[in-house]
Amino acid sequence: AAEDERPEDVRPPAVLRMTMNYLIDSIMDDQTEPFSEVQLFVRDRMRAIRKDFTCQNVRDETAVEVHEQMVRFHILCGHRLCEEERAVFDPKQNQEQLNNCLTTLKEMYADFRKAGKASCPNEVEFLAYDILARVHSANDVLHACMRLPDDILSSAPIRRALRAFSLVRSEDFSGFFKYLREAPYLEACTLHAQVAPMRARALVVLARASPKGKVSLELALRGTACDTAQDIMPFIEAYNGVLDA
């Protein structure tokens, strides 16, 4: 608990920012260790950084900058480690940490606006990530958008995020995969959890549209945006008999 912290153990904001920059610039670039190990090391130290900000109730430009770095970290890890065993990487825990960071950021952005301060330069980028991280829930996206000023709602990142939300809700797999090909890298990474469901949906739709109720491997690869037969095999096996031999 915050009240249990000794003052001498709590790092000031400037030191927290230096620590964060060191983690990102030096530790994250370490090629000598598996990325999963690097992720665990960095994750635990980021959690301690967040705790020190909370203990001091610091919600200034430094806190915003550091929390934005944390969000990018969790988005990147969620994508790069999504195929690891749960014992190596826990996607649920990573998503929880991402959501916590985004919630704190949204609160700080709102505080800045209420205080009449200049908007944070990366605000629309991270509010877009917040929408993309919640595309599975129409209520969450609606509530998030209701609280946004018109100038932010009309920004390009938010418009792209709402486009992605519409594609997921309508199960428009063709539009969804086109979006991923064109989207900025971290926006696409934020949506990685939606890729498997959309591929499964694509396979079902393509098979139903075929006169024989089956789909060729070439069409299946193209429709699901898979690069190789190996990538698509889990979906083929899940829908046994859908592939036209």
Side-chain angles (χ1 to χ4, degrees), residues 17-54:
R17 177 164 56 186
M18 290 173 58
T19 303
M20 187 68 183
N21 288 339
Y22 173 76
L23 291 172
I24 297 298
D25 296 337
S26 299
I27 304 300
M28 286 288 288
D29 283 341
D30 185 359
Q31 303 294 321
T32 64
E33 299 291 338
F35 184 73
S36 58
E37 294 295 326
V38 174
Q39 180 265 337
L40 287 173
F41 182 90
V42 174
R43 180 203 67 186
D44 291 344
R45 280 143 190 85
M46 284 187 179
R47 190 179 297 164
I49 291 172
R50 287 184 59 217
K51 185 177 181 181
D52 281 2
F53 273 118
T54 301

Side-chain angles (χ1 to χ4, degrees), residues 1-13 15-16 19 48-49 51-53 55-56:
E3 58 268 19
D4 296 330
E5 292 289 337
R6 297 184 302 174
E8 61 268 28
D9 293 335
V10 179
R11 295 162 292 180
V15 174
L16 294 174
T19 303
I49 291 172
K51 185 177 181 181
D52 281 2
F53 273 118
C55 287
Q56 300 169 84

